[in-house]
Amino acid sequence: MNLQSVSIEAIPVGRPLPWRLYDRNGYIVFARGEMVASREQLESLIEEGLLLDMDAPTQTRETGDWTEFNESAPLGIFPPVGIKPQPGEPVQIRLLNRNQQTYYSVRMVGYIKNMSILVTTPMVSGYPLIMADGEQVEVRMVTGSNIYVFQTAIQLLCTSPVPYMHLDHPAEVRVQKLRKSPWAKVNLGVTVTDTLGTFEYASLVNLSPDGAHIRSPRTLGEAGKALRLSFPVTMDELGTTLNLNATVQHVHASKAGLEGAVSMLEYGVAFRNVTAADSLWLKVLVYRSLAEGNI
């Protein structure tokens, strides 16, 4: 997952969102298909962060984390090795047989290994959400730099001393890495060369010390393909040409509504074997762009 800041101006108001919006901790603020009521609603949330997953394809309806995590290897235990969820940690749940767009924020109470997981009951307008024993739920937890997702069922609803519930211990947990490297918007021309020496000219539109997003009207290759990126950079009176090895991570059409380049293809690439000198140049470029407000 590659979360980047998105400006309020880029978020449609009064119509279904084609992507999720997250806070800075990786939790979902708006699901796909939900509608933002007003600009004022967005302004009230901006301090918590409004971020977009640049690796996620544009969709018009919510599918849930389980579908999107299908490519990740399942973990057969909860909690995962090395992770100790603490009481009070935030958790998000989604009721699988109801509105697919709604994520409820609850808190971890505790867990009994191989028996049940205890979380607070979702509250709506100050009242506990009405649910039933046996109802299927999807659970989302963010711990450290990982997002953990599992599907389970409500084992038992309790009302005392406060509303909480037991969830069945999950048979399978899926995990996804949450990227922590800063990303900045850039506008750089780049020459992209494949292993056969064939090259294309493209635009580098987002940059981090670990990778980049490239827009191109021509096909550059499928996921897993090795590429070589070359582009000139300057800083005050210094200049160089970066030549970086990269691997294609994903390919999809550019997101409509952000840049309007719907006829272009967008490539997410990860850099490989970056030298210390090139790494320093990348960090300087990213932080300079961030300082200029290009987020």
Side-chain angles (χ1 to χ4, degrees):
M1 176 175 286
N2 169 22
L3 296 181
Q4 294 188 48
S5 297
V6 59
S7 67
I8 290 179
E9 290 73 19
I11 302 171
V13 174
R15 52 193 175 92
L17 291 172
W19 16 255
R20 294 176 177 176
L21 288 175
Y22 299 81
D23 65 17
R24 297 191 185 279
N25 295 316
Y27 285 101
I28 298 167
V29 179
F30 291 100
R32 293 186 190 90
E34 283 193 294
M35 288 193 294
V36 177
S38 65
R39 181 184 174 91
E40 288 72 23
Q41 185 181 16
L42 294 174
E43 290 174 345
S44 68
L45 297 169
I46 197 68
E47 288 187 4
E48 298 297 326
L50 290 173
L51 297 97
L52 181 67
D53 180 8
M54 299 302 292
D55 287 347
T58 300
Q59 299 178 11
T60 56
R61 61 193 299 268
E62 184 62 62
T63 57
D65 287 315
W66 194 255
T67 300
E68 297 176 16
F69 281 37
N70 275 342
E71 294 181 0
S72 62
L75 306 175
I77 57 174
F78 181 90
V81 174
I83 301 299
K84 294 183 178 180
Q86 299 297 312
E89 282 192 20
V91 177
Q92 284 189 320
I93 68 169
R94 185 170 65 97
L95 301 173
L96 296 177
N97 297 325
R98 301 197 193 184
N99 187 343
Q100 296 288 298
Q101 298 174 355
T102 304
Y103 282 80
Y104 299 98
S105 295
V106 299
R107 294 282 178 175
M108 168 76 72
V109 176
Y111 60 93
I112 305 171
K113 194 170 183 179
N114 298 321
M115 293 183 63
S116 70
I117 298 171
L118 287 70
V119 299
T120 57
T121 300
M123 306 295 286
V124 179
S125 300
Y127 295 94
L129 180 67
I130 297 175
M131 298 176 292
D133 292 349
E135 193 160 357
Q136 300 293 307
V137 299
E138 184 175 274
V139 180
R140 173 188 177 92
M141 301 176 61
V142 180
T143 302
S145 60
N146 291 326
I147 302 171
Y148 297 94
V149 174
F150 57 87
Q151 292 185 349
T152 184
I154 298 173
Q155 190 180 97
L156 180 67
L157 290 163
C158 305
T159 58
S160 180
V162 295
Y164 70 98
M165 55 187 179
H166 288 259
L167 303 177
D168 286 338
H169 196 274
E172 187 174 312
V173 179
R174 296 191 179 256
V175 62
Q176 187 178 89
K177 192 77 172 176
L178 181 64
R179 282 192 186 175
K180 293 297 185 180
S181 293
W183 284 76
K185 288 184 179 180
V186 295
N187 184 17
L188 300 171
V190 59
T191 302
V192 183
T193 307
D194 63 18
T195 54
L196 298 178
T198 304
F199 64 90
E200 298 286 353
Y201 297 109
S203 297
L204 200 157
V205 295
N206 283 287
L207 183 67
S208 88
D210 300 323
H213 286 105
I214 301 169
R215 288 207 180 110
S216 172
R218 300 180 182 276
T219 301
L220 301 179
E222 302 297 327
K225 185 172 182 178
L227 300 173
R228 179 88 165 170
L229 309 184
S230 299
F231 54 97
V233 295
T234 58
M235 178 62 64
D236 297 327
E237 297 180 356
L238 300 176
T240 189
T241 297
L242 295 182
N243 294 290
L244 305 170
N245 294 318
T247 302
V248 176
Q249 301 296 299
H250 65 80
V251 185
H252 55 68
S254 294
K255 294 177 173 63
L258 291 181
E259 301 291 341
V262 295
S263 62
M264 306 283 279
L265 291 175
E266 184 170 291
Y267 293 80
V269 301
F271 298 141
R272 296 182 290 108
N273 303 322
V274 180
T275 66
D278 287 348
S279 178
L280 181 59
W281 270 104
L282 288 169
K283 290 176 181 177
V284 168
L285 285 173
V286 170
Y287 286 109
R288 181 182 68 176
S289 188
L290 290 173
E292 293 171 348
N294 298 318
I295 59 176

